[in-house]
Amino acid sequence: MKNYQIESLPDYFKQYKKSIKNPKKFWDKIADDNFVWYQKWEKVVKYDMREAKIEWFINAKLNMTKNCIDRHLLNRSNKNAIIFEPNDPNEAVQYITYQELHERVCKFANVLRDQGIQKGDRVCIYLPMVPELAISMLACARIGAIHSVVFAGFSSSAIAARINDCESKMVITSNGSFRGDKTINLKALVDEALEKTHTVEKVLLVKRTDIEVPVKEGRDQWIAPLLEKASADCVPEIMDAEDPLFILYTSGSTGKPKGMLHTTAGYMVYTAYTFKNVFNYQENDIFWCTADIGWITGHSYILYGPLLNGATTVIFEGVPSYPQPDRFWEVIDKHKVTQFYTAPTAIRALAKEDTKWVDEHDLSSLKVIGSVGEPINDEAWHWYNDHVGRKKCPIVDTWWQTETGGILISPIPFVTPTKPTYATLPLPGIQPVLLNDKRIEIIGNQTTGNLCIRYPWPGIARSIWGDHQRYIETYFSAYPGKYFTGDGALRDEVGYYRITGRVDDVIIVSGHNLGTAPIEDSINEHPAVAESAIVGYPHDIKGNALYGFVMLKDIGESRDKDNLRKEINQIITEQIGPIAKLDKIQFVSGLPKTRSGKIMRRILRKIAEGAFDQFGDTSTLLNPEVVEEIKEGKL
Ligand code: WTA
């Protein structure tokens, strides 16, 4: 990005003011100066926040991969685009230059076309963190197919639900994945999922492990021989600015996951601009984001943001603790990483280890360190600052969401003075507002409220796949005319924001968003369960852990309760994935309800936290005796 680095605090305020006063002019110039277009836009933005109809760069034509790859071939062809660090530190690192990436993406894209994939088709990608994950996403973007990446920790039921929701025509998977000392057979999960779907015509297989897997004639094919035969020339599809780029599912407060739909031009402009500024990216930096590409953080800041800037991005297959708890620090030193971006849950887990693991590594290459996914607590912030940043690297606490496409609130390193646990100030173009329960905007500082955004930005999701009404209801109805984030926030005396957490039924566990409804739905499938309610409670590594209150059909049942607990977690693992397992399960004879039959989660949350004296107003409770019983049961 040319000349778009915010240089100082006065410059930030100047840019910010400009972006608010005239957003069209602001984004017009950024889009004009930094990307290649087949055709420029007729209008910068058109929106209706009540109908949730948002369009950016109207009628512009482009291709994402021309911007991520082709244009860098002129002067960065031998530069590394991707550094692949395998799970096993003894396995060779792979360096993929922009030239090689171009070739591999073109070949992959030609294979997709040969297999019948056309513009607009949905391709489900269920792969471990290997280069083929990035390459297959880019190959989709090359030919205008819509990728729907499913995190490779999800269960077969979760895969099936996502395939069915967007009617994927193809699945790209591998014969397994390595995670620490575990090997997981991903293909078996896909095979199971495909029994519950009917739209998938082809399955392409990447060989990652030695696991032998069945290859179903006519449907499944190994990708390697197809790639060998494929041409390295692939004419990119000309895409409209608002053509879909990808669908990415996120949890909601009802059972069905929401397929957030992101389109091409706005997402491109926004991820490129935020990457450049939030990480102070300079040519020849080595950027490492430890998220999985299966989440939005990986989409935007492992893949698209870095490649759009011609950066070198690290793809790490492993886990922080394997083979030893210094794996992250070893990788930083090995590749001379300059920007490191991770989640508070990983920081808290590593901070529990002996400090020698981190202190003994040379981390002097680092310039900026980042945090994402959940609030970072004071202790973790200081540990990160002292032991990883060594008090010389600004911490960027970046707040954003799958729905927002890119970072919305974050310090600009070397510009915004940081403050522990605060995401600080909105990026240019972002207009946060706090509202109270009466839908009134709270003006002034030193206040808290529900966080909304007043004006659209280029990276905002355009819809929920196949259900625009749900998109309107979830995000644009609570506070008409504004985008509602689902988060609460505090604004301090200088206008810095601190995100206080979700105000809806989403719980963030180890940085993963989990809706309570889908978990409850799966528990309720156990034949012995009548009803259940899930709440979160504070956990010193995961941030939040899950507490389930479960009512059995036969209260007096003399079943082995521990066994029942195991069975319940087994169902959750099968239906959603191991990330949604409950830490605690308490059997109860009833759930506290209001007279209108709503479960009073507020009280259950207090019980789970052990805050028995903070129930607040309980006068609307239908069954106060149940609360007493649950309290006693826990003690
Ligand atoms: C939470 C991840 C506090 C928040 C990019 C948000 C955060 C949800 C932060 C989105 C942060 C994300 N501080 N909370 N820096 N970043 N969150 O969709 O509750 O996986 O609404 O996107 O994570 O999670 P998602």
Side-chain angles (χ1 to χ4, degrees):
M1 296 217 99
K2 289 176 239 146
N3 310 323
Y4 283 97
Q5 183 103 49
I6 295 166
E7 309 237 310
S8 61
L9 203 54
D11 186 33
Y12 162 78
F13 285 116
K14 197 173 115 201
Q15 299 286 340
Y16 186 76
K17 261 197 204 121
K18 262 175 46 184
S19 76
I20 303 307
K21 237 176 112 189
N22 195 341
K24 291 180 189 140
K25 196 167 157 201
F26 180 80
W27 292 112
D28 181 85
K29 184 127 181 61
I30 291 174
D32 206 11
D33 286 353
N34 292 286
F35 304 92
V36 289
W37 305 89
Y38 295 114
Q39 181 184 303
K40 295 270 168 79
W41 44 98
E42 286 156 15
K43 207 170 175 232
V44 179
V45 62
K46 222 162 84 182
Y47 66 95
D48 175 342
M49 292 290 265
R50 284 177 193 260
E51 291 299 316
K53 277 210 162 63
I54 299 162
E55 292 168 80
W56 282 89
F57 309 110
I58 288 111
N59 281 337
K61 306 284 179 235
L62 74 159
N63 183 281
M64 183 62 143
T65 63
K66 275 203 75 110
N67 283 280
C68 285
I69 313 171
D70 299 43
R71 64 172 164 146
H72 302 311
L73 297 183
L74 208 59
N75 46 19
R76 297 191 181 100
S77 62
N78 291 323
K79 177 177 175 175
N80 289 326
I82 292 172
I83 297 178
F84 171 61
E85 174 68 38
N87 177 60
D88 177 355
N90 298 316
E91 191 184 322
V93 174
Q94 286 180 40
Y95 298 91
I96 303 174
T97 63
Y98 273 93
Q99 184 69 52
E100 191 189 340
L101 183 63
H102 183 260
E103 191 180 315
R104 292 179 67 176
V105 168
C106 285
K107 286 187 165 196
F108 209 117
N110 281 327
V111 170
L112 295 182
R113 274 189 180 146
D114 286 350
Q115 296 298 317
I117 298 298
Q118 295 175 350
K119 179 176 174 182
D121 286 343
R122 276 78 62 203
V123 174
C124 170
I125 305 178
Y126 187 69
L127 281 174
M129 284 281 285
V130 290
E132 286 81 357
L133 173 52
I135 291 167
S136 57
M137 291 163 78
L138 293 164
C140 287
R142 185 101 181 154
I143 64 167
I146 306 169
H147 57 72
S148 162
V149 180
V150 176
F151 169 60
F154 274 121
S155 68
S156 62
S157 304
I159 307 168
R162 286 156 177 76
I163 289 174
N164 285 333
D165 185 72
C166 69
E167 300 173 298
S168 302
K169 209 166 150 186
M170 173 184 270
V171 179
I172 303 173
T173 188
S174 75
N175 65 338
S177 75
F178 298 122
R179 300 270 301 158
D181 55 9
K182 289 197 209 86
T183 310
I184 303 149
N185 186 346
L186 299 183
K187 172 69 166 42
L189 293 166
V190 168
D191 283 339
E192 241 178 82
L194 292 185
E195 283 170 22
K196 299 175 218 151
T197 62
H198 56 273
T199 56
V200 173
E201 292 165 14
K202 296 277 163 76
V203 175
L204 295 182
L205 286 168
V206 173
K207 181 169 164 30
R208 176 60 187 132
T209 68
D210 290 327
I211 301 177
E212 298 224 357
V213 295
V215 176
K216 189 171 167 190
E217 182 85 44
R219 187 193 73 183
D220 306 352
Q221 291 170 90
W222 291 101
I223 183 96
L226 302 177
L227 287 171
E228 231 163 75
K229 282 184 277 169
S231 151
D233 279 327
C234 177
V235 180
E237 193 77 35
I238 298 178
M239 304 297 286
D240 185 82
E242 286 299 335
D243 276 337
L245 177 66
F246 66 86
I247 300 166
L248 185 59
Y249 286 87
T250 186
S251 308
S253 40
T254 66
K256 214 170 152 224
K258 297 175 288 197
M260 302 314 307
L261 177 69
H262 283 280
T263 58
T264 309
Y267 178 82
M268 174 182 80
V269 170
Y270 197 69
T271 50
Y273 174 78
T274 50
F275 176 78
K276 169 78 182 158
N277 275 291
V278 173
F279 299 104
N280 190 261
Y281 173 71
Q282 308 294 328
E283 189 72 41
N284 299 326
D285 281 349
I286 308 285
F287 181 83
W288 182 22
C289 164
T290 71
D292 193 288
I293 293 184
W295 308 115
I296 192 68
T297 306
H299 278 57
S300 301
Y301 300 110
I302 295 179
L303 192 65
Y304 289 115
L307 296 186
L308 286 164
N309 281 274
T312 301
T313 182
V314 176
I315 295 184
F316 174 56
E317 187 186 32
V319 294
S321 53
Y322 177 82
Q324 297 186 133
D326 64 343
R327 186 71 162 116
F328 274 1
W329 324 127
E330 183 225 1
V331 173
I332 292 174
D333 187 11
K334 181 170 172 185
H335 298 300
K336 302 291 169 233
V337 169
T338 44
Q339 288 93 347
F340 177 68
Y341 191 30
T342 196
T345 186
I347 299 169
R348 287 189 294 263
L350 293 168
K352 287 234 179 290
E353 303 289 342
D354 192 324
T355 51
K356 76 162 202 242
W357 289 115
V358 54
D359 293 345
E360 285 173 4
H361 283 276
D362 177 4
L363 304 183
S364 59
S365 57
L366 288 175
K367 296 194 304 188
V368 175
I369 55 178
S371 170
V372 60
E374 52 182 318
I376 179 164
N377 51 306
D378 203 56
E379 207 183 332
W381 194 97
H382 283 287
W383 186 88
Y384 200 29
N385 188 43
D386 296 352
H387 293 277
V388 182
R390 314 230 162 127
K391 299 195 169 122
K392 70 173 181 58
C393 303
I395 296 180
V396 288
D397 177 358
T398 63
W399 172 82
W400 59 296
Q401 310 178 296
T402 305
E403 296 84 341
T404 70
I407 298 164
L408 299 196
I409 305 183
S410 168
I412 307 281
F414 313 107
V415 168
T416 319
T418 58
K419 177 173 176 181
T421 77
Y422 280 74
T424 75
L425 296 171
L427 297 183
I430 305 305
Q431 304 187 35
V433 280
L434 296 180
L435 289 113
N436 66 18
D437 292 339
K438 298 196 176 73
R439 297 181 172 173
I440 295 175
E441 187 176 331
I442 311 167
I443 311 286
N445 291 341
Q446 279 188 301
T447 182
T448 56
N450 289 343
L451 180 62
C452 292
I453 315 287
R454 200 202 317 263
Y455 190 90
W457 61 98
I460 187 173
R462 302 299 195 258
S463 195
I464 292 176
W465 180 264
D467 198 350
H468 194 71
Q469 194 53 35
R470 187 174 178 199
Y471 186 56
I472 299 176
E473 278 160 19
T474 313
Y475 303 103
F476 298 87
S477 299
Y479 302 96
K482 297 184 180 67
Y483 167 79
F484 175 45
T485 65
D487 282 324
L490 176 159
R491 191 163 53 214
D492 78 357
E493 62 288 353
V494 299
Y496 274 16
Y497 287 88
R498 176 191 197 189
I499 311 303
T500 47
R502 301 291 309 184
V503 294
D504 58 8
D505 289 336
V506 172
I507 303 170
I508 304 197
V509 179
S510 299
H512 303 316
N513 289 10
L514 298 171
T516 52
I519 306 175
E520 289 161 6
D521 289 350
S522 47
I523 297 177
N524 297 351
E525 283 188 20
H526 191 290
V529 172
E531 204 179 7
S532 61
I534 308 292
V535 296
Y537 69 97
H539 184 281
D540 62 353
I541 291 178
K542 301 181 186 183
N544 294 295
L546 299 177
Y547 195 123
F549 295 90
V550 177
M551 185 181 145
L552 299 174
K553 283 182 183 149
D554 179 357
I555 315 268
E557 208 173 5
S558 59
R559 291 179 64 145
D560 176 348
K561 294 286 188 322
D562 279 339
N563 210 23
L564 211 47
R565 286 191 176 91
K566 277 195 200 125
E567 286 172 16
I568 287 173
N569 269 330
Q570 185 57 31
I571 291 196
I572 296 174
T573 307
E574 282 161 16
Q575 302 263 326
I576 302 169
I579 50 177
K581 282 204 287 197
L582 308 182
D583 276 62
K584 288 189 187 162
I585 297 176
Q586 183 181 351
F587 295 105
V588 297
S589 64
L591 295 166
K593 290 194 177 163
T594 62
R595 281 170 223 282
S596 58
K598 266 189 84 170
I599 297 173
M600 276 189 123
R601 288 171 194 278
R602 177 171 55 82
I603 292 184
L604 293 176
R605 271 195 285 270
K606 292 295 173 200
I607 293 175
E609 279 169 29
F612 295 144
D613 51 349
Q614 296 168 25
F615 289 166
D617 180 13
T618 52
S619 61
T620 55
L621 260 180
L622 180 70
N623 47 356
E625 70 290 350
V626 162
V627 175
E628 288 309 308
E629 197 191 289
I630 298 178
K631 258 167 65 178
E632 275 156 31
K634 186 174 179 254
L635 289 171

